[in-house]
Amino acid sequence: MAAERGGGEDNINDNMGNQLQLLPENEEDEEGDMETEDRDNETTEKPKSINFDPSLPTSHAYLGSDMEEFHGRTVHDDDSIQTIPVMPHTAVMLLPGQTLPLQLFRPQEVSMLKSVMQKDRTFAVLAHSEAGEPDTEFGTTAEIYAYLEEQEYGIETVKVKAIGRQRFKVHEIRTQADGIRQAKVQILPERILPDPLSAVQLTPLSRIHTHPAPSPSTQSCKQTPYSWKKSRLHKLNCASMTPWPPWVYSLYNPESLMNRVKRQLHEWGDNLVVDFLPANAVDFSYRVAAFLPIDDSLRLQLLKIGSAIQRLRCELDIMDRCTSLCCKQCQDTEITTKNEIFSLSLYGPMAAYVNPHGYVHETLTVYKANNLSLVGSPSTLHSWFPGYAWTIAQCRTCSSHMGWKFTATKKDLTPPRFWGLTRSAMLPRIPQTDAEEGREGSRLLCL
């Protein structure tokens, strides 16, 4: 898929020498595409059901079906000091648990990956700032779980599927004679906070509730809502022995926070399968952070947080207050609203995909988008969503690349059309509250 990076025609092919021009499959007039889009926006309705297989995007089948897969997991000790090679030219702020697909062509990157494969299959992804320069303070380790070497047009290519593992803080970065950077990092631990009511729980009762029942599936919640609600309230009964009411403790109860997040996700769309979300609070909080359509500054704040409870509270703050998404270049041009977000993947409404030129786009799926114009004709080449053809979409005001319009190639496929918006081109609109007026710092109340 095309990999436009900025506003204007001059930036369309600005891809650090790796741009390959894709020829459209059909020759149609560009103005005709724009007119079709205007009509689509007027008539687009949310489908009652979706028959697209949500497991297809998560498999990244466009990378090939003959990739060598690896099992096992490399986990470094908390607070340990490790020296890890740094993946260059990666403009993704990776989070633990997030999948990172890569297509690498540069000899330096290919050489580094071959060396990594001979060791523990782990490399470092540095967090980056809004200016695009690496932020040398934080990052995430990535472990390769699928790998393929091949020759394309006489160029050695490496295709990789990796997953984020652990957060780290950078102590030092040095460059070797071959140009590969090595980072000396400290693995950051996840702080598991105790139950706020553990100090007042009676010992005999606490023995009874040593192993709390897991959160039920969506279907079972619908069948037995009263019993589950009664069970949750029972766990907060000890609050009557404290000066604070139960709702205060529920603000810091991971189970309650996870259920509140799930309710927010259902407002985005009923098609999100919450049964595929992680059961523990740490992995759950990272999964939610990975598909929130926020800019790099907010994601970096979430990455720095070492507690799942605090991370979930910040995510709820974002989900409650974010009203719409705007063009990052214009800042005032509204592209879509959070009510149009839906999930077409088991991973969630947003996931990372890589195009043939090696550029990774974290793509958010929405039913409807505004103020966009189409460039070129639909193409099924290297489509991230099998069965859909993509067309490049730009901001109508500044011509910045915003993403793609996807159109079904079969009449019985639903949704018949949707938009994939790249996170790097979007800016969340989070209105300030009265308490934040005139105050500098984070846009999140929890920070």
Side-chain angles (χ1 to χ4, degrees):
M1 298 178 68
E4 287 73 2
R5 292 177 56 84
E9 296 179 358
D10 294 338
N11 292 327
I12 287 181
N13 294 325
D14 178 17
N15 284 316
M16 294 184 290
N18 278 337
Q19 175 70 29
L20 302 178
Q21 184 64 38
L22 298 182
L23 296 179
E25 296 179 348
N26 302 312
E27 294 295 337
E28 295 180 3
D29 185 63
E30 180 180 334
E31 294 182 359
D33 288 336
M34 295 183 187
E35 293 176 359
T36 301
E37 167 48 27
D38 290 338
R39 291 194 295 269
D40 285 345
N41 268 343
E42 293 174 359
T43 60
T44 297
E45 294 182 0
K46 295 182 181 179
K48 295 181 180 179
S49 62
I50 294 177
N51 59 15
F52 178 77
D53 185 357
S55 66
L56 294 178
T58 58
S59 66
H60 299 278
Y62 56 89
L63 291 176
S65 58
D66 53 347
M67 299 185 72
E68 182 182 1
E69 296 187 354
F70 301 89
H71 302 283
R73 179 171 178 171
T74 300
V75 179
H76 301 289
D77 293 336
D78 291 345
D79 292 317
S80 63
I81 303 298
Q82 306 289 333
T83 300
I84 308 175
V86 176
M87 174 61 67
H89 310 301
T90 302
V92 175
M93 191 175 295
L94 187 67
L95 294 171
Q98 184 181 8
T99 299
L100 177 63
L102 296 172
Q103 293 198 69
L104 305 176
F105 313 93
R106 298 179 180 88
Q108 183 187 86
E109 296 172 340
V110 172
S111 174
M112 192 202 81
L113 260 295
K114 287 183 176 181
S115 176
V116 165
M117 291 301 298
Q118 300 300 322
K119 299 177 182 177
D120 57 1
R121 310 193 313 274
T122 299
F123 57 89
V125 178
L126 299 180
H128 53 88
S129 65
E130 286 295 317
E133 296 296 328
D135 187 324
T136 57
E137 293 185 2
F138 293 91
T140 304
T141 63
E143 183 177 13
I144 298 171
Y145 68 88
Y147 182 85
L148 175 65
E149 292 182 18
E150 59 185 14
Q151 292 280 340
E152 291 186 357
Y153 308 107
I155 301 175
E156 188 173 15
T157 303
V158 170
K159 297 181 179 180
V160 164
K161 287 189 281 188
I163 186 169
R165 290 300 189 198
Q166 295 172 283
R167 301 178 307 123
F168 61 75
K169 184 175 182 179
V170 179
H171 285 192
E172 178 187 4
I173 297 180
R174 57 183 177 84
T175 303
Q176 300 178 158
D178 57 3
I180 297 176
R181 294 190 299 168
Q182 297 282 343
K184 183 179 180 181
V185 304
Q186 178 182 359
I187 303 299
L188 297 177
E190 285 293 325
R191 305 298 182 186
I192 308 299
L193 301 180
D195 187 338
L197 290 171
S198 59
V200 296
Q201 286 180 345
L202 299 178
T203 303
L205 291 178
S206 62
R207 283 203 304 266
I208 296 176
H209 300 290
T210 300
H211 303 287
S215 176
S217 63
T218 307
Q219 185 65 26
S220 60
C221 275
K222 294 179 180 178
Q223 294 174 352
T224 58
Y226 177 75
S227 59
W228 176 244
K229 183 178 180 180
K230 183 178 179 180
S231 174
R232 288 195 297 111
L233 292 176
H234 181 72
K235 296 177 182 179
L236 297 174
N237 281 345
C238 294
S240 60
M241 304 172 61
T242 71
W244 304 102
W247 66 265
V248 174
Y249 294 96
S250 68
L251 295 177
Y252 298 90
N253 179 274
E255 200 171 85
S256 298
L257 292 172
M258 291 168 65
N259 287 329
R260 288 176 59 192
V261 170
K262 290 178 181 179
R263 287 196 296 269
Q264 282 278 1
L265 294 177
H266 275 297
E267 292 183 5
W268 290 1
D270 294 333
N271 64 307
L272 179 63
V273 184
V274 296
D275 294 343
F276 286 93
L277 293 175
N280 68 81
V282 174
D283 294 341
F284 182 91
S285 65
Y286 282 126
R287 175 69 65 84
V288 174
F291 60 62
L292 284 180
I294 54 179
D295 55 1
D296 287 337
S297 62
L298 287 179
R299 178 173 281 198
L300 181 58
Q301 292 182 40
L302 294 178
L303 182 65
K304 291 180 179 180
I305 298 174
S307 164
I309 292 177
Q310 185 70 356
R311 196 177 301 116
L312 286 169
R313 285 172 52 80
C314 289
E315 291 165 357
L316 278 170
D317 187 17
I318 294 172
M319 298 172 77
D320 285 336
R321 298 170 58 195
C322 180
T323 58
S324 61
L325 298 172
C326 304
C327 171
K328 188 174 182 179
Q329 188 73 19
C330 302
Q331 298 193 358
D332 292 328
T333 304
E334 183 178 292
I335 303 300
T336 190
T337 65
K338 70 176 183 180
N339 296 329
E340 300 295 337
I341 298 174
F342 76 105
S343 178
L344 206 59
S345 164
L346 291 179
Y347 192 83
M350 186 169 68
Y353 306 95
V354 62
N355 67 11
H357 319 304
Y359 288 97
V360 179
H361 290 275
E362 293 175 275
T363 304
L364 176 75
T365 50
V366 298
Y367 284 119
K368 188 176 180 180
N370 304 309
N371 299 314
L372 296 180
S373 58
L374 301 179
V375 179
S377 303
S379 171
T380 58
L381 182 63
H382 204 82
S383 178
W384 299 328
F385 301 93
Y388 287 90
W390 53 268
T391 309
I392 300 171
Q394 294 182 343
C395 175
R396 189 170 295 170
T397 303
C398 67
S399 299
S400 295
H401 175 235
M402 297 300 300
W404 305 265
K405 179 185 179 181
F406 289 88
T407 308
T409 57
K410 298 180 180 179
K411 293 183 178 180
D412 58 347
L413 188 60
T414 57
R417 67 187 64 86
F418 66 92
W419 297 83
L421 305 177
T422 180
R423 184 183 71 87
S424 61
M426 296 185 296
L427 186 68
R429 179 173 290 173
I430 302 179
Q432 285 190 329
T433 63
D434 294 338
E436 294 177 306
E437 291 293 339
R439 188 186 69 181
E440 297 183 357
S442 172
R443 285 175 284 171
L444 302 182
L445 288 175
C446 58
L447 295 176

